[in-house]
Amino acid sequence: MFGDTIRRTVRTTFGVFVFALGAYFTIRANIGLAPWECLNIGISQRTGMTYGEIYTIISVLTLAADIAMREKIGIGTLAVALFGGVFVDFFTWLDLLPLGHSLGYGLVIMICGLFIQALGQYFNISAGMGCGPRDSLFVGIGKRMRKTPIGAVQIGILSAVLLAGWLSGGKVGVGTVVSVFGSGIAMQIVFGILHFEPRNVVHQNILDTVHVMIPAHK
């Protein structure tokens, strides 16, 4: 059990890393920010704080809604909240991709980013160590809308986040529209290929993890 918990922790952290890479792609596309990035960067520009700092603050605030829906808060949840923004800042520091200056380049990078994010979500959620704050939100709402495709639930949430991002001053453009609808579609495609249904995953919360790891060291 101890070894399995370690493997799952590594898996969920890897998922956060991959998701952050996808987020970095959508930012560098430079054709309009994806909803969550729009909100984070909009607030960042207003406050002078880094993307990663705002990401962490919003993630912690989102946990309140997750807890209200009685979603399990696990190691994976904390990994996303604490390291998701840090990883995006890290990729920004590495400067891996040139900033987009054309619609064609931007669309390709944006779409690639959405699929990378969906793959990151798969690793993070399938580890069963607790979804990230954002994923817990759409999974929790999705459980209450069983007849609605999970991709459609994602689109609804992103639309609400986008409105908040736009009001905060985040850059909205063609890529934003692509992200709102493309994110759910990319998720549906990736999850479909991997035969993965996130609403069926039974997660291990923090207390479960503590109970597994403490006996292993007695």
Side-chain angles (χ1 to χ4, degrees):
M1 289 290 291
F2 177 74
D4 179 63
T5 297
I6 294 298
R7 284 191 292 273
R8 291 165 65 186
T9 299
V10 171
R11 182 184 180 91
T12 197
T13 305
F14 176 71
V16 177
F17 186 82
V18 173
F19 185 87
L21 177 61
Y24 169 74
F25 267 58
T26 66
I27 294 171
R28 298 300 287 177
N30 198 34
I31 54 173
L33 295 166
W36 286 104
E37 281 62 51
C38 180
L39 179 61
N40 292 337
I41 291 179
I43 296 176
S44 173
Q45 291 173 341
R46 286 180 177 273
T47 62
M49 300 174 71
T50 69
Y51 174 95
E53 291 169 339
I54 297 299
Y55 182 106
T56 301
I57 292 172
I58 291 179
S59 293
V60 171
L61 293 175
T62 305
L63 284 175
D66 301 335
I67 293 171
M69 291 188 291
R70 298 182 180 180
E71 289 299 306
K72 289 185 176 180
I73 307 303
I75 295 296
T77 313
L78 297 181
V80 173
L82 298 177
F83 300 118
V86 173
F87 286 152
V88 174
D89 282 347
F90 172 68
F91 288 126
T92 301
W93 175 75
L94 288 178
D95 196 19
L96 298 172
L97 285 175
L99 186 67
H101 292 292
S102 70
L103 180 60
Y105 172 86
L107 284 173
V108 170
I109 296 302
M110 172 68 74
I111 292 172
C112 287
L114 295 179
F115 276 92
I116 293 171
Q117 284 184 310
L119 184 61
Q121 287 176 297
Y122 163 73
F123 283 111
N124 177 251
I125 299 173
S126 64
M129 297 296 284
C131 297
R134 300 179 187 181
D135 291 336
S136 290
L137 187 64
F138 90 77
V139 170
I141 294 175
K143 288 177 180 177
R144 291 157 176 78
M145 303 172 64
R146 281 283 180 177
K147 294 183 179 180
T148 304
I150 194 66
V153 174
Q154 176 80 328
I155 289 173
I157 294 173
L158 291 180
S159 297
V161 172
L162 173 59
L163 176 61
W166 176 69
L167 291 174
S168 71
K171 182 180 178 180
V172 175
V174 174
T176 309
V177 178
V178 172
S179 176
V180 169
F181 296 98
S183 178
I185 293 172
M187 181 191 300
Q188 203 73 44
I189 292 173
V190 171
F191 287 7
I193 291 173
L194 298 172
H195 305 290
F196 177 60
E197 172 49 71
R199 289 172 285 198
N200 293 337
V201 177
V202 177
H203 289 277
Q204 182 182 98
N205 63 29
I206 294 175
L207 290 179
D208 295 332
T209 303
V210 171
H211 291 156
V212 167
M213 298 186 74
I214 289 180
H217 290 85
K218 286 183 176 180

